[in-house]
Amino acid sequence: MTSAPSSPAQGSPVQERTLLTRMRRMASLVPTPWLITAGGAALLAATAAFGGLETVPPQPIPTVEPGEQYSGSDLELTVRNVELRAERGNAASFPDPQRGEKVLAVTVDVVNTFERPRMAAGAATVSPVVDGVLVEGIDAKPALAYADGSSGTVWLQPDVPVRVVLSWVVGADDLRDGDEVRLTLPDSTHSVGTSVQRGVDIWDEVVVGAVVTASVQEVPAAAGGTS
């Protein structure tokens, strides 16, 4: 006479596997949204226990003085002066003298700290490079030109300083000598493109990296064109 096989001892591997199987089957019957909701509720409960959700205050935008160097977007930018010109001089903007228009010209020293040459102007509306320097109250991007009067597109060679003139056409009564203007300097994030733009250097996520407040110096017509 054969005896019936003895049942597994409590805590044996067989029982553990059986229990784990049952738990997995029960979990599979619980809808996924319930699990997400339960997890969210647990997170909120834990957050409340530690004082609740707190809003992180935004960091203030740094200020830079004229003549002080700023680093951002793999560039070093130094605003030298802000002029209100009756004549365009070496700027790339063309005012209409019949309408009393003038040129707001900002002279900036630029050093490209990236390892490869870059254009000083960007194609996007919000630019991460030199034409991303904007005047508060003027929506348009500036026109760019070499300060020494050289013609052509402004290129930035690695570690080679270049002086450029950023300019806008303004109305006869928009600005006067001694007025203050606020310039915003760009910062951005560098990445290397993939897929269609594979290997292309990209600067995006453009933000205001610093603000410069400068006084406008009016240049009479007879003395226009200097930087």
Side-chain angles (χ1 to χ4, degrees), residues 155-180:
W155 276 92
L156 307 173
Q157 300 298 329
D159 299 321
V160 177
V162 59
R163 178 165 290 188
V164 298
V165 177
L166 292 69
S167 60
W168 297 260
V169 173
V170 297
D173 300 320
D174 289 346
L175 289 168
R176 299 184 184 278
D177 185 65
D179 286 350
E180 286 192 340

Side-chain angles (χ1 to χ4, degrees), residues 5 21 24 29 37 55 67 77 127 211 216:
T21 301
R24 286 175 176 171
L29 297 177
T37 302
T55 302
L77 303 172
S127 174
V211 174
V216 175

Side-chain angles (χ1 to χ4, degrees), residues 119-193:
M119 291 182 62
T125 302
V126 181
S127 174
V129 279
V130 183
D131 65 342
V133 177
L134 303 176
V135 175
E136 289 189 356
I138 300 179
D139 294 333
K141 294 199 297 183
L144 299 182
Y146 289 103
D148 63 4
S150 301
S151 60
T153 302
V154 178
W155 276 92
L156 307 173
Q157 300 298 329
D159 299 321
V160 177
V162 59
R163 178 165 290 188
V164 298
V165 177
L166 292 69
S167 60
W168 297 260
V169 173
V170 297
D173 300 320
D174 289 346
L175 289 168
R176 299 184 184 278
D177 185 65
D179 286 350
E180 286 192 340
V181 294
R182 282 168 52 91
L183 308 172
T184 59
L185 310 182
D187 196 6
S188 59
T189 301
H190 171 259
S191 61
V192 178

Side-chain angles (χ1 to χ4, degrees), residues 45-116:
T47 303
F50 286 95
L53 296 172
E54 294 184 2
T55 302
V56 178
Q59 295 297 317
I61 298 175
T63 58
V64 179
E65 298 295 325
E68 182 180 352
Q69 187 181 89
Y70 160 78
S71 297
S73 282
D74 293 305
L75 299 171
E76 292 177 349
L77 303 172
T78 306
V79 176
R80 290 300 177 188
N81 58 56
V82 179
E83 295 180 339
L84 183 63
R85 302 177 180 177
E87 298 175 351
R88 76 180 186 89
N90 51 7
S93 296
F94 299 86
D96 184 348
Q98 301 299 321
R99 301 175 59 180
E101 292 178 341
K102 299 178 182 180
V103 171
L104 177 65
V106 178
T107 302
V108 181
D109 288 337
V110 185
V111 178
N112 171 23
T113 59
F114 192 62
E115 61 186 6
R116 285 186 284 276

